[in-house]
Amino acid sequence: MAEIDRLAGEVHAALTAPHQIPPLSETTPDFDSVAAYAVSRSVRALRAEPVVGRKIGFTNQTLWARYGVSGPMWGDMTPRTILRVSDAPVPLSPYCEPRLEPEVALKLRYVPDASSDDAALIDAIEWFAPAFEVVHSIYPGWQFALTDCIAANSLHGALLLGPAEPPGDWSQNLAQLSLELTRNGAHVETGRGENVMGGPLNALRYLLEGIAVSADKQLAAGDIITTGTLTDAWPLSPGERWTAQYIGTPLQSITASFS
């Protein structure tokens, strides 16, 4: 336990006064996922903020080889890290090597069973929303193992939420949505709902299954979940303006600028 607390102190310090540290997987023998989630829980205690949602990371399997990871993960979101998309530029100074991810977020009306089919999962959802997640790496050059990411609150920086949309018939087809991502008006990438573990509802199912058998804080009604990036995670710089257009859904386009 003393080792977990020591590692958590290093991670918390790096996240609080942003600076980078060597990956824990390189400095700590046998640093596995059990230890990583234990560090994450200890960081949560040091942060002393209420948990009001979860981010699911690395659900886009097309990115695993690029980032040297082998599966998804989850981390906390707090009232401080969940923001509304607005015209005000988002400062990047709190983040190390920040990147942007366009995602589909949702709010739980109640916590469904992990074995639920898609219709039952949708019934448990109060709303869907377009969102940008700002992710960042306290490990230099985005070089890490999956366990390092877990320990650092799954790389979560902030969630920028767009307008909410209640579920409808379209919700069954989230895997088929496409997304056009632009930076300063220029096309960057086309994303797909199916990139996220075959669809955002599958990402939610993964989170339900994982948390149900873990020692982590369980999900609750009212939690906000963001299901993972539909594109690559793109480096962010001050002065940029990014737009995501969600095609095939009622979700509105969102735009965010950064300073």
Side-chain angles (χ1 to χ4, degrees), residues 204-233:
L204 173 59
R205 190 174 286 110
Y206 156 79
L207 180 65
L208 292 166
E209 291 171 348
I211 286 186
V213 298
S214 76
D216 205 357
K217 181 182 185 296
Q218 298 298 294
L219 295 172
D223 278 353
I224 294 173
I225 312 295
T226 192
T227 56
T229 186
L230 303 170
T231 67
D232 199 350

Side-chain angles (χ1 to χ4, degrees), residues 116-194:
S116 300
D117 63 16
D118 285 0
L121 288 182
I122 291 169
D123 184 70
I125 294 169
E126 181 177 332
W127 49 250
F128 291 98
F132 285 130
E133 186 184 14
V134 177
V135 291
H136 66 136
S137 175
I138 61 171
Y139 311 110
W142 280 71
Q143 299 296 309
F144 41 58
L146 182 65
T147 51
D148 298 310
C149 301
I150 293 169
N153 196 31
S154 295
L155 309 181
H156 178 63
L159 185 72
L160 312 179
L161 275 176
E165 183 73 29
D169 293 342
W170 59 274
S171 308
Q172 295 273 7
N173 300 317
L174 284 172
Q176 280 73 55
L177 78 84
S178 63
L179 177 139
E180 296 300 323
L181 182 66
T182 62
R183 175 182 54 215
N184 297 335
H187 176 77
V188 173
E189 186 179 350
T190 298
R192 307 273 178 204
E194 64 189 5

Side-chain angles (χ1 to χ4, degrees), residues 241-258:
R241 183 176 176 87
W242 291 76
T243 296
Q245 181 182 7
Y246 293 72
I247 301 166
T249 77
L251 299 176
Q252 297 183 33
S253 298
I254 54 171
T255 297
S257 57
F258 300 89

